[in-house]
């Protein structure tokens, strides 16, 4: 019988590529990871790892075992969900992760409903970039989370997670009012008219930064990045002050400042709600998913966000 903790290390080595990266993910030393993987290899009785340059790589059998590990972990999640469903009442901590615009707009209503309907739940919210969500769910730092991608920057599904569509949004080019009359407004791609503009983008490494750069490259130019700002309210304030132009999803437009025009693009942002594979039957997870879905529907029905004006 294999040790599940060692299987997790093997799975993460397959995913992350190096012993050092696995050690960082599990907050331990590379030596400790190597010792545990060596013990797993002894349990298996066949080579799972092989030397490759200065590092190690999984053998074909190691890759196959790492793949089976995902199914094992999902089965354990499902077993935990079955036990939890047999208990009376919902109790315990539910850790929810979301990107900033969702924390501002979608989560408040969901948290109110969960607190009212399930007072035994201890709810915890963490704001983080969607790129960090899969790892946080895999490492049990989160139980339910919102993540998104753009058609300009699609993200491959994570085999450790189950997710379902939640929201599909228009992406706008936010420009100062005096610049809105450029030829870009009549263009099939408004971004193309702002190749000489200063651009406001997210921090390097964030999905928002990647999307802005790709949108500009697709329009035939590299953006002249002047400001790096992650909060969309601050981004729109800078646009209103004439400091540049920016891409903003509909959910990021809580209040449109005077002096800003929104030019709709063909690009879309797609938000999904995710949890660890197999955990969907856990009553607390299911209640959280229902509450977020209901809050999202209420937010859309209320007409929150701004259209192009």
């Amino acid at each position: 019988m294999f040790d599940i903790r060692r299987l997790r290390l093997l799975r993460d080595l397959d995913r992350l590529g190096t012993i050092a990266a696995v050690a960082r993910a599990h907050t331990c030393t590379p030596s400790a990871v190597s010792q545990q993987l060596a013990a797993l290899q002894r349990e298996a009785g066949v080579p799972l790892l092989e030397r490759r340059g200065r590092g190690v790589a999984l053998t074909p059998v190691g890759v196959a075992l790492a793949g089976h590990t995902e199914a094992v972990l999902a089965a354990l999640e499902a077993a935990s969900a079955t036990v939890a469903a047999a208990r009376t009442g919902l109790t315990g901590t539910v850790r929810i992760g979301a990107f900033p615009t969702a924390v501002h707009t979608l989560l408040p209503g969901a948290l109110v409903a969960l607190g009212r309907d399930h007072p035994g739940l201890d709810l915890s919210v963490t704001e983080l970039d969607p790129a960090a969500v899969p790892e946080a769910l895999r490492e049990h730092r989160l139980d339910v989370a919102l993540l998104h991608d753009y058609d300009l920057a699609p993200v491959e599904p994570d085999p450790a997670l189950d997710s379902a569509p939640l929201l599909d949004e228009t992406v706008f080019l936010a420009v100062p009012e005096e610049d809105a009359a450029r030829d870009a407004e009549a263009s099939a791609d408004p971004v193309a008219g702002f190749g000489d503009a200063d651009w406001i983008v997210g921090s390097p490494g964030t999905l928002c930064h990647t999307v802005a750069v790709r949108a500009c490259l697709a329009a035939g130019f590299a953006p002249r990045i002047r400001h790096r700002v992650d909060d969309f309210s601050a981004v729109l304030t800078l646009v209103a002050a004439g400091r540049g132009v920016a891409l903003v999803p509909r959910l990021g437009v809580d209040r449109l400042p005077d002096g800003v025009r929104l030019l709709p693009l063909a690009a879309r942002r797609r938000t999904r709600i995710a949890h660890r594979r197999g955990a969907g039957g856990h009553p607390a997870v299911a209640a959280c998913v229902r509450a977020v879905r209901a809050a999202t529907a209420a937010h859309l029905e209320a007409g929150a966000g701004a259209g192009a004006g």
Side-chain angles (χ1 to χ4, degrees):
M1 187 69 69
F2 297 122
D3 185 296
I4 189 63
R5 294 168 297 179
R6 292 168 182 163
L7 287 174
R8 287 182 192 273
L9 294 175
L10 185 74
R11 185 274 309 264
D12 289 343
L13 179 59
D14 185 40
R15 178 174 61 88
L16 298 173
T18 68
I19 295 288
V22 175
R24 286 192 296 271
H26 288 264
T27 320
C28 61
T29 65
S31 175
V33 172
S34 295
Q35 290 172 14
Q36 291 300 310
L37 290 175
L40 178 63
Q41 186 164 253
R42 289 194 297 272
E43 289 175 348
V46 295
L48 302 178
L49 307 173
E50 59 186 4
R51 281 287 170 191
R52 188 169 296 174
R54 294 186 177 180
V56 297
L58 271 64
T59 64
V61 175
V63 172
L65 186 55
H68 287 305
T69 298
E70 294 290 6
V72 170
L73 295 175
L76 288 174
E77 289 286 349
S80 177
T82 298
V83 172
R87 300 189 186 110
T88 301
L90 289 185
T91 60
T93 299
V94 180
R95 296 154 297 189
I96 306 168
F99 48 92
T101 49
V103 172
H104 294 313
T105 58
L106 304 182
L107 283 195
L111 294 173
V112 168
L114 285 168
R116 179 192 65 229
D117 299 338
H118 307 290
L121 290 179
D122 181 14
L123 303 172
S124 170
V125 173
T126 298
E127 181 182 287
L128 73 172
D129 189 78
V133 163
E135 185 174 358
L137 285 169
R138 280 192 301 266
E139 295 179 358
H140 290 250
R141 289 185 280 113
L142 295 177
D143 300 303
V144 178
L146 302 185
L147 44 75
H148 63 235
D149 68 354
Y150 294 75
D151 44 18
L152 286 167
V155 175
E156 288 294 320
D158 191 302
L161 309 182
D162 283 333
S163 66
L166 182 67
L167 181 64
D168 191 301
E169 304 168 75
T170 299
V171 177
F172 296 100
L173 177 64
V175 304
E177 183 76 40
E178 60 269 20
D179 292 337
R182 291 193 189 199
D183 291 341
E185 193 169 22
S187 169
D189 181 9
V191 172
F194 289 86
D196 61 345
D198 289 336
W199 279 78
I200 307 163
V201 305
S203 300
T206 64
L207 197 54
C208 290
H209 181 280
T210 299
V211 168
V213 171
R214 288 189 182 180
C216 293
L217 293 176
F221 65 92
R224 187 172 68 219
I225 298 173
R226 184 68 65 185
H227 309 287
R228 294 172 176 82
V229 180
D230 294 319
D231 180 80
F232 286 122
S233 294
V235 167
L236 291 171
T237 298
L238 288 174
V239 174
R243 297 297 90 194
V245 302
L247 299 189
V248 182
R250 190 178 190 90
L251 205 62
V253 188
D254 187 24
R255 294 181 180 84
L256 188 65
D258 292 338
V260 177
R261 286 286 302 277
L262 298 179
L263 307 179
L265 307 179
R268 307 289 292 180
R269 184 172 81 163
R270 302 168 300 227
T271 297
R272 303 179 69 82
I273 187 163
H275 48 73
R276 284 180 296 281
R277 199 174 141 206
H282 194 292
V285 171
C288 193
V289 170
R290 287 193 300 271
V292 172
R293 285 193 175 282
T296 301
H299 185 81
L300 294 177
E301 288 171 7

